[in-house]
Amino acid sequence: MKIFITRQIPGKALEELKKIHEVEIWPGPGIIPRDILLKKTAGTSAVIPMLTEKMDSEFFDKAGPDLKIVANYAVGFDNIDLDAASQKNIAVTNTPSHLGDSVAELTIALILALSRRIVESDKWMREGNYTAWDPSLFLGLDLSEKTIGIVGLGTIGLATARLADSVLGMKVVYTARSEKPEAAVPGWRFEKLPQLLSEVDVISLHVPLTPKTRHMIGKDQLDLMKPSAILINTSRGPVINEAALYEALVNRRIWGAAIDVYENETGLADDSTWWKMTKLPNIIMTPHIGSATIEAREEMTKIAVENVLTVLSGKPPVNPV
Ligand code: NAP
């Protein structure tokens, strides 16, 4: 059967797929243009897209009747119209895995980098500014005994909370749509979002992007935070209203932010708010590398391939969303 993959992906599991099916991969560079995506996926039985590809009703109509599965190469699936897929009985899967740990590790790295001003001081060193030890130089914040607020205690939120607790000695306050039995840990507690925002020292976002979580953090929520608060977003860009974040950072309403994802992620070059943020010292920005480890990417490929092989052999998907 014909399988189309919208980007070169790492991992040995791809070879398994190629042994059995006819696999075509978009060679790049960059994101596959929409018209080529629609042309290449017409008549395929399975597609492995990235989160940069919009899988809407037009896509499902043009893909045709052979399409059985869209195996998204991501944990999030906000790029896929699930109703349109299910109307045509097309399975949609994602890649939940140990990559939760990879995203959690990046989150902790960002918290430490921001609290100890590592990126700022590295830049300053490279500019040749250092002459001698100075007791007031790049003063940061301690984390031990402080409180982290986890917004969304799913796979990644839980892994982050565990690391913050065990490695950094932080207390944990979390919010989600319901309380979690796995969070019945000494030093951990559930709170509603406004209370969490007003009392914690570090806020880390781990919710999926949905109509309910879009702009979950805007001016009103930023105003609730402590002036010393650190905000981390490794979930999805539109969960934060970036214009409001810029105002909070430039006015030093909060200590700083570190973000791996962007409100207008495929249009940053034309995004004036984003350009303004790049000039601020109290923000760290990484290029959506939450799951960018060799191990996580190998496993994502394995999971996507497993889902494709399972569905194409007539069985239910392993990781349906
Ligand atoms: P998950 O296991 O599904 O957990 C999501 C959590 O969000 C759950 O605790 C859920 O609460 C909570 N939630 C959902 N809607 C909410 C709302 N309206 N208010 C409060 N809490 C809400 O997801 P995950 O695997 O941890 O991944 C989280 C997100 O991270 C993904 O959706 C993806 O967008 C992002 N991600 C980013 C990267 C990256 O490279 N930066 C990599 C992987 C994933 P309930 O359980 O109570 O519903």
Side-chain angles (χ1 to χ4, degrees):
M1 291 183 210
K2 283 187 181 171
I3 296 165
F4 188 73
I5 305 177
T6 65
R7 204 77 175 252
Q8 293 283 359
I9 54 176
K12 293 186 207 84
L14 220 46
E15 299 313 312
E16 296 304 308
L17 203 58
K18 288 179 182 166
K19 275 186 207 157
I20 308 169
H21 297 288
E22 193 185 316
V23 179
E24 188 180 357
I25 303 173
W26 164 252
I31 298 171
I32 186 168
R34 175 79 176 175
D35 55 334
I36 299 178
L37 172 77
L38 296 180
K39 211 164 117 201
K40 291 283 183 189
T41 51
T44 53
S45 299
V47 177
I48 301 182
M50 311 299 114
L51 49 85
T52 38
E53 278 81 63
K54 202 168 171 208
M55 309 268 115
D56 52 9
S57 51
E58 184 198 27
F59 164 81
F60 290 113
D61 285 344
K62 297 214 163 141
D66 291 343
L67 187 64
K68 307 275 182 308
I69 173 168
V70 168
N72 214 33
Y73 192 73
V75 173
F77 42 86
D78 45 274
N79 56 317
I80 301 178
D81 183 338
L82 295 182
D83 289 337
S86 67
Q87 270 166 28
K88 293 194 181 287
N89 216 12
I90 295 163
V92 177
T93 61
N94 68 345
T95 55
S97 61
H98 296 307
L99 78 79
D101 294 331
S102 316
V103 183
E105 285 174 20
L106 178 76
T107 304
I108 297 295
L110 291 175
I111 294 169
L112 285 165
L114 199 58
S115 63
R116 298 306 302 270
R117 305 174 64 182
I118 291 171
V119 176
E120 251 185 288
S121 51
D122 175 85
K123 182 169 175 282
W124 189 82
M125 282 300 290
R126 288 167 198 265
E127 287 165 354
N129 294 309
Y130 187 64
T131 48
W133 186 82
D134 179 334
S136 308
L137 202 54
F138 286 107
L139 297 186
L141 299 170
D142 277 336
L143 295 167
S144 177
E145 297 292 318
K146 299 238 174 100
T147 304
I148 186 168
I150 303 281
V151 181
L153 198 86
T155 310
I156 299 170
L158 187 62
T160 303
R162 285 181 176 148
L163 280 177
D165 179 352
S166 62
V167 178
L168 303 176
M170 299 186 82
K171 289 173 252 176
V172 175
V173 173
Y174 76 95
T175 197
R177 286 177 297 186
S178 60
E179 289 190 43
K180 307 290 168 210
E182 57 273 36
V185 174
W188 292 28
R189 144 172 82 81
F190 176 89
E191 284 294 354
K192 296 252 186 259
L193 183 64
Q195 176 61 30
L196 176 150
L197 297 176
S198 63
E199 75 168 271
V200 303
D201 304 289
V202 176
I203 296 117
S204 193
L205 306 177
H206 301 288
V207 288
L209 176 62
T210 68
K212 285 247 164 67
T213 63
R214 183 175 291 272
H215 285 189
M216 191 179 203
I217 304 296
K219 182 181 184 313
D220 291 349
Q221 291 72 28
L222 286 155
D223 281 346
L224 289 174
M225 296 176 195
K226 293 179 179 177
S228 57
I230 282 174
L231 175 64
I232 311 288
N233 189 13
T234 57
S235 64
R236 283 288 182 267
V239 174
I240 296 183
N241 178 336
E242 264 176 25
L245 176 62
Y246 171 74
E247 288 302 322
L249 292 173
V250 82
N251 296 319
R252 299 271 172 181
R253 250 303 288 120
I254 60 173
W255 172 269
I259 56 179
D260 185 45
V261 285
Y262 302 87
E263 195 171 347
N264 186 12
E265 201 154 315
T266 50
L268 289 181
D270 301 319
D271 185 332
S272 59
T273 304
W274 179 76
W275 278 110
K276 283 194 290 180
M277 283 205 301
T278 63
K279 309 288 181 290
L280 301 179
N282 51 347
I283 183 163
I284 295 175
M285 296 190 267
T286 48
H288 203 147
I289 54 167
S291 63
T293 67
I294 293 163
E295 295 88 344
R297 288 289 149 82
E298 288 265 350
E299 200 181 355
M300 287 168 73
T301 302
K302 200 168 141 220
I303 293 172
V305 165
E306 192 184 4
N307 277 290
V308 168
L309 289 175
T310 307
V311 169
L312 294 189
S313 66
K315 296 189 205 110
V318 189
N319 305 96
V321 298

